[in-house]
Amino acid sequence: MEKSGPFDTVEKGSRTGPEIVERLRLKAKEVRRNVLLMAKNKGDGYVGQGLGAADILTALYFHEMRFDSARLDWPDRDRFLLSTGHYSIVLFAVLAELGVIRKEELSSYGADETRLEMSACETTPGVEITGGSLGHGLCQAVGMALGSRLSGRNFRVFNFLSDGELQEGATWEAAMAGAHYKLDSLVAIVDVNNMQADGKVSEGMTVEPVAEKWRSFGWHAEAIDGNSMSEILQAFENVRSMSMKPKVVICYTLMCKGVPFLETRPKSHFVRVEQHEWDLALSELERSRL
């Protein structure tokens, strides 16, 4: 099994260099390949989110977080909370690259009685919370960050949520609490892809300007291209040095990133394609320069 995180793999002072970016870019491509193979076996899935968020989760697990795939119950590990439970496809793809899940098991994604449910559940190795009831992840993250402080362990808590979740009142209550308690071990990551089940987020309740809203709640906010590995690494580097307040990295991503014929679909919240098109998707991914 493979260890990950700055404490294991990265020399001090070389955390955002071109060789690191290239290594992680190639790893993200492997993660995307896993996503497509999982969906191909089932015939459908949350492919758009998985491909779009692959760079972010790759950077977290293979570079930023203190995480040991051989010790999932390590008390000092950083916590990753997948509030958007339907993004499970990309979390499983990453955990398979780490050896937490056997790659052979990925073919059971979404099947009856599988450990790899389409909405992540904490009964799966490496999954910290049951996500999917949107708006609750940041609430749990605030509690864990408080627990980190009170226990004296000082692990960090990374909460991944979506732009659609910014329409939920519980998210903003938790944001207010995080700032009130000055939870500098808490990092929220918002995937802004402007897509939810019934269409574009921008056509519903307005969430922009996202960064300004978080700042008004007392958070340090950075807005980046969530499909640029160099920008992701630099943002994580920046927020690590911030103290006395929680941090949020706002990642603008493209649904289905890396597969051009899927990137242009007007609705890609849940992707179904013809059986022969899965091979086309894999072929386009191989040719993509991500």
Side-chain angles (χ1 to χ4, degrees):
M1 291 189 181
E2 182 174 353
K3 288 187 177 182
S4 65
F7 302 90
D8 302 310
T9 61
V10 181
E11 293 295 326
K12 190 174 182 179
S14 64
R15 293 186 51 81
T16 59
E19 70 287 349
I20 300 296
V21 171
E22 179 65 10
R23 176 176 66 85
L24 293 170
R25 185 189 66 80
L26 293 174
K27 180 60 71 175
K29 198 164 190 175
E30 292 296 322
V31 170
R32 286 186 167 95
R33 186 179 294 108
N34 288 345
V35 166
L36 288 176
L37 290 172
M38 292 164 71
K40 177 184 178 182
N41 185 75
K42 188 178 183 301
D44 52 32
Y46 293 99
V47 175
Q49 295 87 340
L51 296 175
D55 301 299
I56 303 166
L57 267 70
T58 298
L60 276 170
Y61 274 91
F62 290 93
H63 183 79
E64 184 62 25
M65 292 200 320
R66 181 164 55 185
F67 179 84
D68 186 344
S69 58
R71 299 169 58 203
L72 298 178
D73 60 350
W74 179 30
D76 292 322
R77 72 190 182 282
D78 290 338
R79 271 63 166 176
F80 176 76
L81 309 187
L82 185 66
S83 184
T84 50
H86 59 289
Y87 282 59
S88 65
I89 192 169
V90 65
L91 178 56
F92 299 153
V94 168
L95 293 175
E97 287 299 309
L98 286 163
V100 174
I101 296 170
R102 292 180 297 105
K103 287 195 175 183
E104 294 78 10
E105 190 175 359
L106 293 179
S107 63
S108 70
Y109 167 71
D112 291 342
E113 300 183 2
T114 181
R115 297 195 303 175
L116 308 185
E117 298 187 28
M118 295 185 76
S119 195
C121 184
E122 61 189 302
T123 55
T124 304
V127 178
E128 297 281 359
I129 66 169
T130 296
S133 190
L134 300 183
H136 295 169
L138 190 61
C139 303
Q140 296 179 77
V142 166
M144 286 192 186
L146 277 171
S148 173
R149 174 186 295 169
L150 294 171
S151 68
R153 293 191 179 279
N154 297 317
F155 55 80
R156 291 189 294 168
V157 181
F158 294 86
N159 175 220
F160 189 97
L161 60 157
S162 64
D163 49 353
E165 280 185 275
L166 303 186
Q167 300 169 344
E168 297 280 357
T171 296
W172 296 110
E173 292 179 57
M176 186 163 53
H180 173 77
Y181 290 109
K182 297 181 173 60
L183 298 177
D184 52 11
S185 66
L186 175 59
V187 181
I189 302 164
V190 184
D191 180 24
V192 183
N193 57 33
N194 196 30
M195 185 63 67
Q196 54 189 359
D198 55 358
K200 292 185 177 181
V201 174
S202 59
E203 294 173 351
M205 191 180 298
T206 302
V207 300
E208 291 287 359
V210 176
E212 286 81 352
K213 286 179 179 176
W214 284 91
R215 290 177 187 131
S216 73
F217 273 74
W219 289 55
H220 171 79
E222 303 229 353
I224 63 168
D225 177 352
N227 295 127
S228 167
M229 188 61 72
S230 60
E231 289 193 32
I232 295 168
L233 298 185
Q234 189 59 60
F236 288 153
E237 186 82 5
N238 294 344
V239 301
R240 195 182 310 107
S241 63
M242 298 288 171
S243 60
M244 300 302 292
K245 62 170 57 179
K247 288 84 70 168
V248 58
V249 180
I250 300 153
C251 300
Y252 288 85
T253 65
L254 178 63
M255 295 282 278
C256 301
K257 178 68 175 179
V259 182
F261 88 91
L262 292 179
E263 291 175 358
T264 58
R265 289 204 170 189
K267 290 189 176 182
S268 52
H269 176 76
F270 189 82
V271 172
R272 296 182 178 90
V273 302
E274 297 298 324
Q275 190 60 39
H276 71 277
E277 289 183 310
W278 292 113
D279 290 333
L280 173 61
L282 285 160
S283 177
E284 286 197 350
L285 175 65
E286 294 306 318
R287 295 196 301 269
S288 293
R289 172 67 185 179
L290 294 167

